[in-house]
């Protein structure tokens, strides 16, 4: 079996079936859905009682809300496109213009058409795939096969745009956007936030990536409640004291159980308390950064300092753990305020983009002297939890860039 996938900015599902019928007029077709709205087509070609024939399967999906920008969300196709962007942005570039155009084009993609040919691609398959790519102004992703020799992205004519060595045979790549999507530009809050963040980063001499996707906007945000944040930071505040050897793990376990917070302790935190090692404690000390971020979100810490050095919790006027005789639930109940969605999303966007700069420097073997990458990562982690990025639990938070 051989595979490849077309990605397109244009939503034009109605163009695909006529092209398939043109190239395979005698094929038996099984369709999942209707001709106007389908997710899978299977063409059985040359099959008869005495002949096995071949199959050509086509899968289709599109963004729930087609756009001209890539906005992070839980939608599977969006996650795939973000992963694709990160994958290709890590490649070297022999042709910077094609490289930048390709990354830009990935951010505006709205539809995915995947092809699987059994036992493999014929000349007719290839002609059909290229005709669909041309009709949709698409680009083609493929693993090495009999048609596409390299793992990489190809233009609508099958010419290599970029492979993992940075090679590109193409001389041009159009990036066209449907005019109806420009209606969203005026007053587009996530774009304005992204522009502000990039201007701030540039003022500090930090690399930016103008094609990096936007984060969620305020109308769609589901930021954690003050109660959720207060519970989490209260647990973290005692775990932090264990990490710095100021409190015995057994004392912390007894305290959490006494006040009904044991089920709020994560599996990783329970492992630290029940099987403490210095290595685990050293790792947990990094969560000072997350504690500061969460207390900041509750209005109990000052502005998040520039991430060029570790924060000092000794500078805080308020700390959630206030002794073994103090009921933490009383403190949690008192923490009823948090900063605005705008403030939290601004910070989440900032650390998302700084973290990209740190990862980019690491991939290129460059030193990141302006900020501390570890500090950036821990703050990004806490902010992603705050904004429910992928709605992940504390132990499972990811910081994809």
């Amino acid at each position: 079996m051989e595979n490849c996938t077309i990605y397109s900015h244009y939503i034009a599902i109605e163009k695909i079936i006529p092209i398939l019928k043109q190239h395979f007029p005698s094929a038996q077709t099984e369709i999942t859905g209707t001709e106007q709205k389908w997710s899978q087509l299977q063409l059985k070609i040359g099959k008869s009682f005495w002949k096995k024939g071949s199959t050509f399967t086509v899968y289709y999906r599109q963004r729930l809300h087609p756009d001209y920008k890539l906005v992070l969300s839980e939608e599977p196709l969006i996650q795939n496109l973000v992963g694709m962007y990160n994958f290709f942005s890590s490649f070297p570039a022999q042709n910077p213009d094609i490289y930048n155009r390709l990354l830009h084009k990935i951010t505006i993609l709205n539809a995915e058409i995947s092809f699987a040919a059994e036992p493999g691609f014929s000349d007719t398959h290839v002609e059909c795939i290229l005709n669909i790519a041309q009709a949709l102004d698409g680009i083609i992703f493929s693993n090495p096969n009999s048609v596409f020799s390299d793992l990489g992205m190809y233009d609508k004519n099958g010419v290599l745009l970029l492979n993992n060595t940075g090679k590109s045979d193409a001389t041009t790549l159009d990036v066209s956007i449907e005019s109806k999507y420009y209606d969203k530009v005026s007053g587009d809050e996530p774009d304005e936030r992204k522009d502000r963040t990039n201007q701030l980063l540039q003022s500090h001499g930090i690399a930016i990536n103008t094609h990096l996707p936007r984060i969620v906007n305020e109308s769609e945000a589901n930021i954690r409640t003050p109660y959720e944040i207060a519970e989490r930071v209260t647990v973290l505040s005692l775990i932090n004291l264990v990490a710095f050897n100021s409190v015995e793990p057994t004392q912390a376990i007894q305290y959490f159980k006494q006040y009904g917070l044991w089920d709020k302790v994560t599996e990783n935190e329970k492992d630290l308390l029940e099987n403490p090692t210095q290595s685990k404690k050293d790792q947990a000390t990094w969560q000072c950064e997350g504690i500061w971020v969460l207390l900041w979100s509750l209005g109990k810490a000052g502005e998040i300092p520039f991430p060029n050095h570790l924060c000092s919790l000794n500078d805080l006027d308020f700390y959630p753990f206030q002794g073994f005789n103090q009921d933490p639930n009383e403190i949690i109940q008192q923490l009823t305020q948090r900063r605005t969605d705008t403030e939290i999303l601004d910070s989440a966007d900032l650390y998302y983009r700084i973290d990209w700069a740190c990862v980019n420097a690491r991939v290129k073997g460059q030193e990141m002297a302006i900020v501390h990458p570890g500090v950036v990562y821990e703050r990004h982690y806490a902010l992603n939890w705050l904004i429910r990025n992928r709605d992940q639990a504390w132990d499972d938070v990811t910081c994809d860039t």
Side-chain angles (χ1 to χ4, degrees), residues 71 144-145 159 161 165 197 223 303 354:
V71 184
N145 55 45
V159 179
L161 291 167
T165 68
T197 298
I223 297 172
E303 292 302 317
I354 299 179

Side-chain angles (χ1 to χ4, degrees), residues 23-24 56 121-129:
H23 289 85
F24 302 100
F56 189 36
F121 288 136
S122 67
D123 290 344
T124 306
H125 288 119
V126 176
E127 184 180 355
C128 177
I129 290 168

Side-chain angles (χ1 to χ4, degrees), residues 68 85 105 147 190 204 209 239 252 262 281 348:
Y68 72 105
Y85 182 94
K105 197 171 182 79
V147 179
H204 285 285
N209 181 345
I239 298 291
W262 185 241
K281 290 180 180 180

